[in-house]
Amino acid sequence: MSSQEQGLAPCRKTLSRRAILLAGLGGLLPGTAMAAHTRKQTRTDKSLHILTFTGSIAQTQSKILFKPYEHLTHQSIVPRGWSGELPELQHLTNPSHQHPAAAMMENSSLRIGCALKLLSRHQTDTSSSNCGLPSASIDYAMAWDKARFESTPSWFDFWDVARHPGRRSLRRDPRMTLEIALLADGVPANALYRTLGTTEGVNRAFLKLEQLRPYIAWWSTPGEAGQILTSGGALMGCVPTGEILGAADAIRQRFGLYWQQRFVVQYGWGVLASAASNPAALAFVSWLEQAAQQQAFANAWPSLPSMAELNALAPGLAHIPPAITIDDTFWENNLSALNERFQQWMRRT
């Protein structure tokens, strides 16, 4: 099920420190009391520096989330782009108003960051989501230059450089990249994590990647994934569907999207440990986790085409099959070891 099909995630039943904070702030909902509170605090509030992803995601967030929040609370939000990699947070441990207070990242990174004490977790937060809740779903799919293909390619065709010469773009991270390699090697979608959970399966994924190594253009952020394709840096590649569907008509018509085996990645917001005592950071992240904000972003972010567009993009496809969900629990438990092997593999000549 895609981000637009899934709807809202179930609300957390346990009372977290963010829920407690929201209760104290009136839930950050419009109202006379809240407005009076925010006006009173305006003079002393500082800008809230945050980390998010560059590209269309940040543009959508700015319009749908950040600007409305600023209007509601009179709290200035200052976003900055980042890669989403946890080592980057390790350099941001000293408290400072110029350092980011919150960051958008994958759910597996949220959990790992919490365990490493890079992110804030209050003693009353007993939820399994650790330091944050899922607040956005992003679909990823293979996109290709339609001028170079007579029919819709698959992940198997993605590896066929003899028939389709040119560069391919993939994520510089084992997450989603190893899953794609296994799909291309014939592993069914419902067996991906069962296969990756074995030594033989991991070896199989890396052997498949090795076949494609000279042809890969690597990307680190969702925005970079879109930029590589639209600039002609790759013939085909893995990209957030919204980077194509939300682009100008010329780009949208230029690229096809492979809907049959796409992925959905869950993202959330974490409060950095250095901002644990900053009520503005806690309030901002709590607001983003509310169902209304989740739905607002899902409505604004173009993950799926209309049926008319789908028929034009992929004739004969009667319906869009459910997306493959990236398994956050698997990656929480295995990212450290698999990323070490991935980085070693990347450094090989």
Side-chain angles (χ1 to χ4, degrees):
M1 191 71 69
S2 73
S3 58
Q4 289 183 345
E5 293 168 319
Q6 288 174 335
L8 303 178
C11 295
R12 177 167 47 187
K13 294 182 180 180
T14 57
L15 188 61
S16 72
R17 94 289 194 190
R18 292 177 185 161
I20 293 171
L21 178 69
L22 278 180
L25 294 182
L28 288 183
L29 297 176
T32 304
M34 185 60 200
H37 174 82
T38 54
R39 284 196 298 270
K40 182 178 180 180
Q41 295 297 321
T42 300
R43 294 183 181 180
T44 58
D45 283 348
K46 297 179 180 179
S47 297
L48 193 66
H49 293 252
I50 63 169
L51 297 175
T52 186
F53 300 110
T54 57
S56 300
I57 290 176
Q59 295 170 10
T60 302
Q61 288 174 328
S62 178
K63 179 180 179 181
I64 301 300
L65 300 174
F66 302 160
K67 295 300 182 184
Y69 186 82
E70 289 180 328
H71 178 75
L72 176 64
T73 66
H74 304 284
Q75 169 74 64
S76 177
I77 303 299
V78 182
R80 191 173 85 198
W82 82 308
S83 65
E85 298 178 359
L86 288 175
E88 195 170 333
L89 294 184
Q90 294 175 318
H91 301 290
L92 303 171
T93 56
N94 296 325
S96 169
H97 70 279
Q98 294 182 341
H99 288 164
M104 181 185 182
M105 64 190 77
E106 288 167 79
N107 283 358
S108 55
S109 294
L110 276 172
R111 299 177 183 182
I112 296 169
C114 190
L116 295 175
K117 301 188 185 304
L118 297 174
L119 302 174
S120 166
R121 179 176 183 179
H122 193 275
Q123 61 182 359
T124 61
D125 187 350
T126 59
S127 67
S128 60
S129 56
N130 295 320
C131 298
L133 290 171
S135 58
S137 299
I138 304 294
D139 283 14
Y140 287 78
M142 182 213 305
W144 71 92
D145 189 333
K146 292 193 291 185
R148 301 279 298 275
F149 291 85
E150 295 181 357
S151 59
T152 300
S154 66
W155 289 117
F156 177 83
D157 299 311
F158 194 87
W159 257 254
D160 192 346
V161 295
R163 291 182 57 212
H164 308 293
R167 293 179 68 79
R168 282 90 159 114
S169 63
L170 286 172
R171 185 186 183 191
R172 192 188 295 269
D173 191 290
R175 290 171 290 189
M176 194 158 52
T177 301
L178 294 184
E179 287 95 327
I180 288 172
L182 289 178
L183 287 176
D185 205 40
V187 175
N190 61 5
L192 285 178
Y193 294 104
R194 186 166 64 250
T195 304
L196 268 183
T198 67
T199 300
E200 295 78 9
V202 172
N203 291 339
R204 181 176 177 180
F206 276 99
L207 283 172
K208 193 65 176 178
L209 278 179
E210 186 65 33
Q211 297 173 8
L212 202 62
R213 177 199 287 271
Y215 306 94
I216 302 176
W218 297 103
W219 54 264
S220 298
T221 67
E224 188 180 0
Q227 192 275 331
I228 288 175
L229 281 173
T230 57
S231 67
L235 168 71
M236 55 204 305
C238 179
V239 64
T241 59
E243 291 285 345
I244 301 300
L245 296 177
D249 287 343
I251 292 176
R252 191 167 178 169
Q253 294 172 10
R254 175 183 161 194
F255 290 97
L257 288 164
Y258 179 54
W259 297 107
Q260 286 87 332
Q261 288 184 321
R262 72 191 188 284
F263 295 88
V264 59
V265 180
Q266 302 289 338
Y267 292 88
W269 287 85
V271 176
L272 274 67
S274 57
S277 60
N278 184 351
L282 296 173
F284 174 68
V285 170
S286 296
W287 186 80
L288 291 172
E289 291 174 347
Q290 291 179 2
Q293 279 62 254
Q294 293 184 44
Q295 190 64 62
F297 180 82
N299 291 342
W301 179 252
S303 288
L304 294 172
S306 66
M307 289 310 300
E309 291 171 321
L310 179 64
N311 290 331
L313 290 168
L317 185 61
H319 68 282
I320 303 177
I324 301 168
T325 301
I326 294 296
D327 190 327
D328 294 322
T329 300
F330 174 87
W331 284 113
E332 178 187 2
N333 296 328
N334 295 281
L335 180 59
S336 178
L338 290 179
N339 189 52
E340 181 177 356
R341 178 167 177 178
F342 184 81
Q343 297 305 326
Q344 291 175 350
W345 178 81
M346 290 286 295
R347 289 191 291 267
R348 285 171 44 198
T349 57

